[in-house]
Amino acid sequence: MNPDRLIHMANSIGDFFAAMPDADEARNGIATHIRKFWDPRMRRAMFQHIDQAAESGLHPLVLQALQQHRGELLPLETS
């Protein structure tokens, strides 16, 4: 997965939800959208990028949403 494309997509989602007056509701909306509409490989690639990059390129609200909801967004690893 191309991290630049994922960042662009995530920031576009963040732009939509940033208009909400309640930041908690916005973060929940971002996480819900990503959980519902992003393939597990996309979510995994985004978290790999966040973990490896010093500067993620993500809108702060998006980064907060991803960090806050990491456990429910990452698919369980199977061996």
Side-chain angles (χ1 to χ4, degrees):
M1 292 271 133
N2 180 346
D4 293 333
R5 181 72 182 133
L6 294 175
I7 291 165
H8 175 75
M9 291 169 55
N11 283 337
S12 294
I13 295 164
D15 289 342
F16 175 82
F17 285 101
M20 297 183 124
D22 183 345
D24 285 334
E25 187 177 355
R27 286 188 291 272
N28 289 336
I30 292 166
T32 298
H33 181 91
I34 289 173
R35 183 175 32 80
K36 284 183 177 181
F37 299 108
W38 282 31
D39 181 273
R41 291 171 297 164
M42 295 168 70
R43 297 191 309 253
R44 214 175 4 255
M46 176 59 79
F47 282 108
Q48 286 174 350
H49 170 73
I50 291 169
D51 292 344
Q52 295 172 355
E55 183 63 38
S56 69
L58 291 167
H59 185 286
L61 189 65
V62 174
L63 184 57
Q64 291 168 6
L66 292 172
Q67 291 171 333
Q68 181 178 345
H69 296 275
R70 184 180 188 118
E72 65 194 64
L73 292 173
L74 276 177
L76 294 175
E77 296 297 323
T78 56
S79 303

